[in-house]
């Protein structure tokens, strides 16, 4: 389970493929539901990449 503010590695991103392999911070405070198809919102990926919905795994 992920928490808001947690640093994560992005392993898949349909919104912006440039985000794959990069790290970011989780924005969501609650688990994602069916509206987001189970994807978490992640920000602080890059100055050129806006917040995206992704599937990811925890770092450390």
């Amino acid at each position: 389970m992920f928490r808001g503010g947690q640093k994560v590695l992005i392993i898949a991103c349909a919104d912006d493929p440039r985000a794959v392999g990069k790290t970011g911070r989780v924005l969501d405070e609650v688990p994602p539901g069916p509206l987001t198809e189970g994807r978490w919102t992640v920000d602080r990926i890059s100055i050129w990449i806006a917040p995206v919905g992704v599937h990811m795994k925890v770092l450390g």
Side-chain angles (χ1 to χ4, degrees), residues 7-59:
K7 186 175 182 179
V8 294
L9 173 65
I10 300 167
I11 59 170
C13 181
D15 293 345
D16 192 337
R18 297 176 300 165
V20 175
K22 295 186 175 12
T23 59
R25 299 254 179 220
V26 176
L27 289 179
D28 301 321
E29 295 294 329
V30 297
L35 183 63
T36 62
E37 299 174 357
R39 297 181 301 162
W40 294 82
T41 305
V42 176
D43 193 10
R44 298 187 200 167
I45 301 164
S46 163
I47 192 168
W48 308 111
I49 302 174
V52 293
V54 301
H55 296 282
M56 60 203 172
K57 70 177 183 178
V58 177
L59 287 180

